[in-house]
Structure formats: structure tokens, C-alpha cells
Amino acid sequence: MKITEHIKNANGKTLFSFELIPPLKGQSIQGIYNAIDPLMEFKPPFIDVTSLREDFIYKQHNSGLLEKLAYRKRPGTIAICAAIMNKYKVDTVPHLLCGGFTKDETENALIDLEFLGIENVLVLRGDARSGDSAFVPNPNGHCYATDLLQQVVNMNNGVYLHENYDNIQKTNFCIGVAGYPEKHFEAPNLKTDFKYLKQKVDMGAQFIVTQMFFDNKKYIEFVNNCRANGINVPIIPGLKPITSSKQLVSLSKTFHIDMPEDLSDAIQACTSEKDVREAGIEWMINQCKELVAFGVPVLHFYTMSNAGPTKRIAEAIF
């Protein structure tokens, strides 16, 4: 079922969902199941599975020369989605990235998803490689999320990259895109950010999942600005509790988000990492209660495959 259908069928009730990362190359899928099992009592209608672009390693040969090789630490997004659907009978939302994939590889991935009966995708540009100062697309890949979005929309209309196929079938994907309550860090201002988000919705995006945030006022203002700009699709808040003192800095730096002073003060006043975890979970429980009262369609948790904190929060909310 499509995300928009799940939200419509909920009749205003806030749903619960979460996001996982694939295991490191060579690890078992059992780690994924261990992260899902504790959360199934909250009946998530869908589970997101992230996708990571390739990075580079350097292999030294006997001659002393270094060879630059591309590799992926966490492959298998499509296979993991299929395994989750088979085991848990819930919908999955694989992430599609510009970075690390050619247009042909993207088309092949979408064909595989269609075969598997996966109806939802989240379209993202993706991050720069760790060694790059800025995002660099693959040769014959997409530069922007709008380009990738257009490819999915084209396939939904029966337009593939190569026109010599016989009996081409239209795909039927429900397409999600990212939203940034505190502005994408590369956008010069919020007005420009809204312009591109509106463009994605006009092109065919059917729901938005936000970057994590810790100040509900910023999410509510973001939703109101979206509505004022003619963006009327569901806006799903992305959430993650702070579970270590290091995250007070690392999350702000990595995701370009602002920490409320009250949260920062509470974390800094803790005398142990256990206290930090408890403070972070308490903050997120209160944050979620406010969001439910506001009427959000879904509470979507970035679990990083660690179910414990999310389970605590869900027990307090659902």
C-alpha cells in the first residue's frame, strides 16, 4: 500500500514508523531483524531502509603505487526491503540516491522494486563522499534530487531511458522527498528552499519526510510555510532522541540543525551517559506528544538500527 493510502486510512490518527540502515558488508540480516522485532508491537505500516553511496579506498600495490577503488560499506537496500516485507508483512520504503548510481542503475533498481511489489520510494540527492568537499555525481548519474525524481515520474508514465522496449509497463511508485525545517545547508535562504520543495511536489512528489529537529516550533512553522506556498502533501516529521553527550555537537554539525537551549542545558547538566540517555528520551517523549496534538500524520524515527530508545518513546506515546 502507498504511504498516502496508509495516512488516509488512519483517519487522522498518528501512525508510527521508523528507518533502518543496512548492515555492514559481510554481516547477517539478523541484525536487522533484531532491530525490528522490539518495535513491531506498535504496528508500523511501513519501514524505511536507507541507501548509502559508494566511498573510496586506496589499495597499495607492491610497486608502491596506490589504486583508488570504489566500494560500498552497506549494500543490499532492495534485498533488505524484500526480506522485511516477506517476514513482517509490512510495506517498505527504500531510499533512492543520486550519488553512487548511474541513470541505468537507477532504472534497473526501480524495475526490481516494481517486480517485488514495493510501491514507495524516498528520492534523495544523498551526501558527498567522505573525501569530497562537495557533492560529486557519478558519470551518467543525476546531479540533483529533482533529476532523480523526474526519472521516477517518467517511469510512472511509462517513459524509460531506452525506447526500444516492447510492451513497456508503467510503474506505480508513491514518491517521497526530503524537507528541511531549518533549511537545507546548501540553500541560500528558506525562500529558495521552499521554491525547490514546491517544484518537487509539482513534479509528482506525494509526501515529505523531514530532517530531524528538536524544536517543534520550527517544524510547525515549516508546515505552515509549506501550506502557504501551496505544498499540501503529508509532511512526516523525522525524529531521533539524543542518547549520548557527543551527539549534542555531532548531530548539530552533521545535520546542520539547532539544539534548543533547554535541551542543551539539560544534557550538559547530566553527570553520566545514562542520565544523558534518559534526558534525551524524556525530551523526545514530550516533543512527540506535542506533535501528536498538532496532528502529524506519522512519527518517523531514525533508529540507526538501535531499537531501545525508540521503543521507550513509543511505549509512552502509542
Side-chain angles (χ1 to χ4, degrees):
M1 189 182 296
K2 296 180 178 180
I3 301 304
T4 50
E5 294 173 332
H6 282 299
I7 292 172
K8 181 179 178 180
N9 292 343
N11 293 316
K13 178 183 177 182
T14 298
L15 301 173
F16 165 83
S17 69
F18 58 94
E19 180 176 304
L20 301 164
I21 58 174
L24 290 168
K25 186 181 292 185
Q27 292 185 353
S28 167
I29 198 173
Q30 187 58 45
I32 291 289
Y33 296 153
N34 292 343
I36 293 175
D37 287 344
L39 300 175
M40 290 309 296
E41 65 178 281
F42 308 108
K43 296 180 172 54
F46 61 90
I47 298 170
D48 276 38
V49 181
T50 66
S51 181
L52 300 180
R53 74 170 300 169
E54 90 291 354
D55 216 322
F56 289 127
I57 58 173
Y58 292 89
K59 180 179 179 181
Q60 186 169 14
H61 294 277
N62 293 334
S63 64
L65 294 175
L66 293 176
E67 182 182 6
K68 187 178 182 181
L69 301 172
Y71 80 110
R72 286 192 176 91
K73 288 183 179 180
R74 300 178 184 272
T77 296
I78 295 176
I80 291 168
C81 285
I84 291 172
M85 290 176 66
N86 180 64
K87 181 174 176 64
Y88 296 101
K89 312 305 178 188
V90 299
D91 286 313
T92 54
V93 185
H95 293 192
L96 291 179
L97 302 182
C98 297
F101 301 91
T102 67
K103 297 172 186 176
D104 284 287
E105 287 172 334
T106 297
E107 182 173 283
N108 291 335
L110 289 164
I111 290 171
D112 288 345
L113 294 172
E114 180 79 4
F115 284 154
L116 292 168
I118 294 172
E119 297 183 84
N120 304 284
V121 293
L122 186 65
V123 168
L124 307 164
R125 188 197 68 177
D127 298 324
R129 287 179 289 248
S130 58
D132 294 336
S133 60
F135 177 83
V136 179
N138 273 39
N140 197 36
H142 294 298
C143 294
Y144 303 104
T146 49
D147 300 328
L148 177 55
L149 171 62
Q150 187 62 63
Q151 183 173 6
V152 183
V153 170
N154 286 346
M155 290 181 66
N156 278 352
N157 291 322
V159 179
Y160 287 61
L161 293 174
H162 309 293
E163 299 296 339
N164 58 345
Y165 295 140
D166 293 327
N167 301 316
I168 287 181
Q169 299 294 316
K170 295 181 180 180
T171 56
N172 189 30
F173 293 110
C174 180
I175 309 169
V177 295
Y180 298 87
E182 299 179 55
K183 184 182 79 64
H184 190 279
F185 73 100
E186 293 180 352
N189 50 59
L190 273 171
K191 182 178 180 180
T192 302
D193 217 17
F194 278 113
K195 182 182 77 171
Y196 287 117
L197 185 58
K198 177 67 161 58
Q199 180 184 359
K200 292 174 186 177
V201 172
D202 290 343
M203 289 172 63
Q206 294 162 279
F207 65 96
I208 296 167
V209 181
T210 77
Q211 177 64 276
M212 71 178 73
F213 58 92
F214 292 89
D215 185 345
N216 285 345
K217 292 178 182 177
K218 294 183 178 180
Y219 169 81
I220 293 170
E221 184 177 355
F222 175 75
V223 171
N224 291 336
N225 284 339
C226 281
R227 302 313 183 214
N229 282 273
I231 300 170
N232 296 308
V233 300
I235 301 174
I236 298 171
L239 303 163
K240 176 179 172 55
I242 289 179
T243 55
S244 75
S245 56
K246 292 181 180 178
Q247 289 177 335
L248 198 61
V249 174
S250 65
L251 292 179
S252 297
K253 180 180 178 181
T254 302
F255 298 102
H256 307 277
I257 55 177
D258 188 41
M259 293 290 177
E261 290 182 8
D262 288 349
L263 175 59
S264 178
D265 290 344
I267 297 299
Q268 291 173 344
C270 293
T271 58
S272 69
E273 289 301 309
K274 179 181 178 181
D275 290 342
V276 169
R277 178 185 170 96
E278 292 301 313
I281 290 173
E282 181 181 358
W283 181 277
M284 186 55 62
I285 289 172
N286 291 329
Q287 193 176 343
C288 288
K289 288 179 178 179
E290 290 179 2
L291 291 170
V292 170
F294 179 68
V296 298
V298 185
L299 294 175
H300 183 72
F301 293 91
Y302 300 123
T303 68
M304 302 300 289
S305 299
N306 177 16
T310 301
K311 179 176 171 63
R312 289 269 308 278
I313 296 162
E315 287 172 340
I317 304 299
F318 295 97

